[in-house]
Amino acid sequence: MRSGPAILGSALAALCLAACGSNAAHVSHHRSGATVVLPTKAPPQPPARPKPRHRKQKQPAAPPQARAELITHGPRSGHDVALTFDADMTQAMLAGVRAGRKSIGYDPRIVSELRAAHTHATIFMTGLWPTAHPDAARELAADPLFEIENHSYDHAGWEPPCYGLPLVRGDGAKRSEVQRTASVLSDLLGAPPRYFRFPGGCHTGADVKLVAAAGETPVQWDVVSGDPGQPSASVVANNVLRGAHPGSIIVMHLVGAPNAPATAAALQTILPGLKQRGLHPVTLEKLLGSGG
């Protein structure tokens, strides 16, 4: 029969093992027969992890301040150029689309050529264009190859004479041409446009200041493709390749036949020709940089 101390020692050992697990204590049997529980060091604990620091979300870059000057080209250093395409749509053209002429104002072969060559481009789109071609507008807006900017609401000329275009008169009406299209494109893109192109390039110095006051930088070009009314793709291609230099802004049209029937075919020569000359097409935003 075990003595009282032995029974007490065994009981304490059993209690500690049950409560703390098999590694909680070291049990030593002495010669006296009594079982003694010896305290052991607690198992090492992993170092405390620092509390996570909440990272501030990166804020979107603020749009650059509009410049009250007419931009005709980008930096002449480097190798970048900007291919730009005007997506014209007048009220008369829209009436034609609604009458069943669905192709008017858009030649999808131009977009196919750009995509096949993985080439970036900027599309100056009128506010009426998405009304005439809603599916194409959404598709272009979703494609990272393309930048979309403001080309007025209904392609009316700002200063006569302007290639027979109907005219918009008065500062209020001109301001509306900018702002209505900005609203349409903001809904399409999720952000307002940054650049504006005068229909036909017709404008005055006061018009340049008006556009900048409306929040957009007016952009023209320094290379004219001559695609309006030109049936020869080789003529259009030669115009572009002869005139293109680093920083060039090249004006072409997205509208196709009958207004610009040779643009898509000309791109088959223009795109490899620019590459051979060491020129790299980029969006207008990239060409001009964050300074607009």
Side-chain angles (χ1 to χ4, degrees):
M1 189 173 189
R2 289 187 289 178
S3 65
I7 295 173
L8 179 59
S10 298
L12 289 172
L15 180 61
C16 186
L17 287 169
C20 305
S22 60
N23 295 325
H26 173 66
V27 180
S28 176
H29 295 275
H30 289 265
R31 289 180 184 177
S32 63
T35 303
V36 180
V37 180
L38 300 176
T40 61
K41 295 181 180 180
Q45 298 296 319
R49 294 182 180 179
K51 293 183 179 180
R53 301 170 74 182
H54 295 289
R55 299 171 103 186
K56 292 183 179 180
Q57 290 186 348
K58 186 178 180 181
Q59 297 298 319
Q65 182 156 0
R67 292 164 60 177
E69 61 179 301
L70 189 67
I71 305 299
T72 58
H73 62 82
R76 293 302 191 186
S77 60
H79 305 281
D80 291 345
V81 297
L83 287 172
T84 69
F85 295 83
D86 291 357
D88 304 345
M89 184 60 55
T90 65
Q91 295 288 354
M93 291 169 70
L94 180 60
V97 173
R98 287 173 169 167
R101 297 176 60 195
K102 294 183 180 179
S103 65
I104 191 169
Y106 180 45
D107 184 353
R109 296 176 303 163
I110 295 170
V111 173
S112 296
E113 292 291 344
L114 294 169
R115 285 175 171 158
H118 304 287
T119 300
H120 288 87
T122 300
I123 298 169
F124 279 94
M125 187 177 289
T126 56
L128 286 180
W129 204 89
T131 299
H133 303 290
D135 293 340
R138 286 190 292 268
E139 184 181 292
L140 292 170
D143 193 325
L145 280 177
F146 305 125
E147 172 187 352
I148 296 179
E149 300 295 349
N150 192 334
H151 193 36
S152 83
Y153 188 71
D154 54 7
H155 206 254
W158 282 43
E159 181 69 13
C162 196
Y163 305 98
L165 293 174
L167 297 175
V168 55
R169 298 185 185 277
D171 289 353
K174 290 177 178 180
R175 192 174 297 108
S176 178
E177 287 279 322
V178 180
Q179 293 173 339
R180 288 178 72 186
T181 306
S183 178
V184 170
L185 297 185
S186 293
D187 289 343
L188 182 68
L189 304 170
R194 300 169 62 166
Y195 303 109
F196 179 89
R197 175 168 284 169
F198 296 103
C202 307
H203 67 280
T204 66
D207 294 333
V208 169
K209 294 178 181 178
L210 185 152
V211 169
E216 298 179 23
T217 298
V219 171
Q220 203 88 316
W221 52 77
D222 66 334
V223 177
V224 177
S225 70
D227 60 347
Q230 177 55 255
S232 171
S234 62
V235 170
V236 175
N238 288 337
N239 288 340
V240 171
L241 295 176
R242 185 172 59 247
H245 296 89
S248 284
I249 298 175
I250 301 159
V251 60
M252 306 181 78
H253 291 78
L254 196 67
V255 297
N259 293 359
T263 310
L267 286 175
Q268 297 174 8
T269 302
I270 291 170
L271 300 182
L274 291 173
K275 185 176 181 180
Q276 289 171 3
R277 288 160 174 76
L279 297 175
H280 178 57
V282 298
T283 61
L284 190 63
E285 181 178 0
K286 186 175 190 305
L287 180 71
L288 299 181
S290 60

